[in-house]
Amino acid sequence: MMKKWQIIAGSAASVLLISVNSYLLLKKDSEIDRISYVSQYEETKRGDLQEAFHTEGVVVPLEEHKVYFNEQIGAFSQFTVAEGDTVNPGDPLFEYESFNIEEDQRMLEFEADKLEEQIESIEDHIDELRSFIIVIEAKESTENADEDSTNFIYNSVVDVEKEIYQKELERELLMAEASVIQKQISNIDQQNNMLTTLSTYAGTVTDINTSLGNPVITIHSDTPSIKGSLTEEDVDKIEVGMPAHVFAADEGKINGIVSKINTYPESEPSLNKESTYPFSVELQLEEEQESLLTGKHVNVNVVTNEILDAVTIPVKALSTTGIAKNAFVIGQDGTLQKTPLTVGLKMGQTQEVVEGLSSEQLVAIQPDIHSENDITSFNTPIWTKYTSKTAIENLGTKQIAKYIFTGFIQR
């Protein structure tokens, strides 16, 4: 009889306990903590993110040079090159008999003098630009500039250095042209009134017009570049100066830069077909990539946006409420905190975080939330690999008691 009452009393106590706890948990505005469940988490990382536009292209020569012959200055004699020949600046292309050898010589000397003046002018300009950099850097070292001023000075120096680089290239081209003219002057055959036209370019002779229709010779540079076409929808997605990555079979990735975008379509505009716009990519080739064959088809990725050293999290760690973005951050005090985020560039399954997180923070991946509070307690699954039967048997009685007690009092 006593045993029956004990069973009834125990059952009643259990029902009461379950009922009271259920009421407290489900009651609105209850102060009872809800424990959330976190089964997976990851650490925020720093990395570079890129947004790219994908298209196709074909390998073409970087430059095409046309050489002309003026019948009014002399009578054509002979070509000194053939189609397929490789030429360098100063190599002879064709010979002709001058109608006025003295006048032609004076014109060449005048052209040589003019080039020398242009070269000297460019060198003076380069010296001025270098002096300007010295003044800027000296000013920075003597003043306590703030971060904005330092950035402005840095950008100014970079811009000036770019201009110096362009002027140095221009000077080299003029010097090469002047050298060719001086060689042409020295090759004049006064006795036979013969003049030789020399190449001012390096490349391959791709066409010779034996009927002497201009251009009489076409030279393609041996440096490859990429040509492609953009649709009406895509032409506004890229800009000149954007980095590009070219992928060719057996060549791997080749870096480059968008060098030209035509704003006029490839063919005459028509209502019956979509317009396409040519674009070019100048390549930054390594020595082993210089044999890239003309006509080869390639894939092109143009980097339209790039974020360096960004704080990133997995996309699946984002929680969205309306337009608001949040992440649940695992704190060192054992709590789970809902943290508002400002997000930026998304690349695949990786999301840039502009504000709200720093690197090396732990964020929960799709946690099971049982609280409306921004900060809650949480638990994680038991890692059974650390709770083997042997490991438990090796624990002493005091350790077991300690862990059980800690489990009861731990929030």
Side-chain angles (χ1 to χ4, degrees), residues 47-51 305-307 310 312 345 347 350-352:
D48 300 338
L49 297 179
Q50 288 184 343
E51 193 172 46
N305 193 10
E306 185 174 30
I307 308 296
T312 64
L345 182 63
M347 187 181 73
T350 303
Q351 176 68 62
E352 176 200 6

Side-chain angles (χ1 to χ4, degrees), residues 36 38 40-44 327-339 356-358 360-365 367 369 374-380 410-411:
S36 299
V38 176
Q40 185 181 358
Y41 54 86
E42 288 192 24
E43 191 176 66
T44 59
F328 289 92
V329 179
I330 298 175
Q332 294 183 350
D333 58 355
T335 59
L336 194 66
Q337 181 170 354
K338 183 179 181 181
T339 304
L357 293 175
S358 58
E360 299 181 353
Q361 285 186 279
L362 293 179
V363 290
I365 307 297
I369 305 299
D374 287 343
I375 302 178
T376 63
S377 299
F378 71 97
N379 57 32
T380 58
Q410 182 70 42
R411 290 188 61 189

Side-chain angles (χ1 to χ4, degrees), residues 311 313 318 323-327 339-345 351-357:
V311 176
I313 61 172
L318 279 178
I323 61 173
K325 305 290 185 182
N326 307 286
T339 304
L341 303 179
T342 302
V343 298
L345 182 63
Q351 176 68 62
E352 176 200 6
V353 178
V354 179
E355 292 182 2
L357 293 175

Side-chain angles (χ1 to χ4, degrees), residues 49-85:
L49 297 179
Q50 288 184 343
E51 193 172 46
F53 168 76
H54 308 281
T55 186
E56 297 178 347
V58 64
V59 179
V60 297
L62 177 62
E63 297 174 317
E64 181 183 73
H65 307 291
K66 299 181 183 297
V67 182
Y68 297 86
F69 173 66
N70 185 355
E71 293 180 350
Q72 296 180 355
I73 65 173
F76 184 85
S77 176
Q78 65 176 345
F79 289 106
T80 54
V81 291
E83 289 184 5
D85 285 354

Side-chain angles (χ1 to χ4, degrees), residues 82-189:
E83 289 184 5
D85 285 354
T86 299
V87 296
N88 292 301
D91 288 349
L93 298 177
F94 60 85
E95 296 176 349
Y96 65 94
E97 183 180 356
S98 173
F99 293 151
N100 190 336
I101 193 71
E102 292 82 6
E103 180 63 22
D104 287 342
Q105 184 171 353
R106 282 195 296 269
M107 289 298 297
L108 288 171
E109 291 172 347
F110 173 78
E111 188 67 26
D113 292 340
K114 187 169 70 171
L115 287 172
E116 288 298 330
E117 290 178 0
Q118 291 176 325
I119 292 170
E120 289 178 4
S121 176
I122 289 176
E123 289 176 342
D124 290 341
H125 191 188
I126 291 174
D127 290 340
E128 291 174 0
L129 292 173
R130 286 175 174 158
S131 298
F132 182 62
I133 290 178
I134 294 173
V135 171
I136 293 176
E137 292 177 339
K139 184 177 181 181
E140 180 186 18
S141 62
T142 56
E143 295 182 0
N144 295 322
D146 56 21
E147 184 176 354
D148 290 339
S149 298
T150 301
N151 290 336
F152 175 77
I153 291 171
Y154 172 78
N155 291 332
S156 298
V157 170
V158 170
D159 290 340
V160 174
E161 288 177 340
K162 287 181 180 178
E163 187 174 354
I164 290 174
Y165 176 73
Q166 293 297 328
K167 290 297 178 183
E168 287 177 337
L169 287 179
E170 187 177 344
R171 179 185 61 183
E172 289 177 8
L173 291 174
L174 291 175
M175 291 176 68
E177 188 175 351
S179 176
V180 169
I181 290 179
Q182 289 293 345
K183 186 175 180 180
Q184 196 166 357
I185 292 172
S186 64
N187 287 345
I188 291 177
D189 187 344

Side-chain angles (χ1 to χ4, degrees), residues 176-240:
E177 188 175 351
S179 176
V180 169
I181 290 179
Q182 289 293 345
K183 186 175 180 180
Q184 196 166 357
I185 292 172
S186 64
N187 287 345
I188 291 177
D189 187 344
Q190 291 279 4
Q191 185 175 357
N192 297 318
N193 289 348
M194 293 299 295
L195 282 175
T196 302
T197 296
L198 306 180
S199 175
T200 55
Y201 314 109
T204 301
V205 177
T206 57
D207 184 69
I208 294 179
N209 192 337
T210 55
S211 64
L212 302 184
N214 281 317
V216 291
I217 293 178
T218 301
I219 300 172
H220 280 147
S221 66
D222 292 331
T223 303
S225 67
I226 306 301
K227 179 182 178 181
S229 295
L230 299 168
T231 65
E232 295 177 25
E233 180 182 356
D234 294 335
V235 69
D236 294 326
K237 293 181 180 179
I238 70 173
E239 298 176 0
V240 171

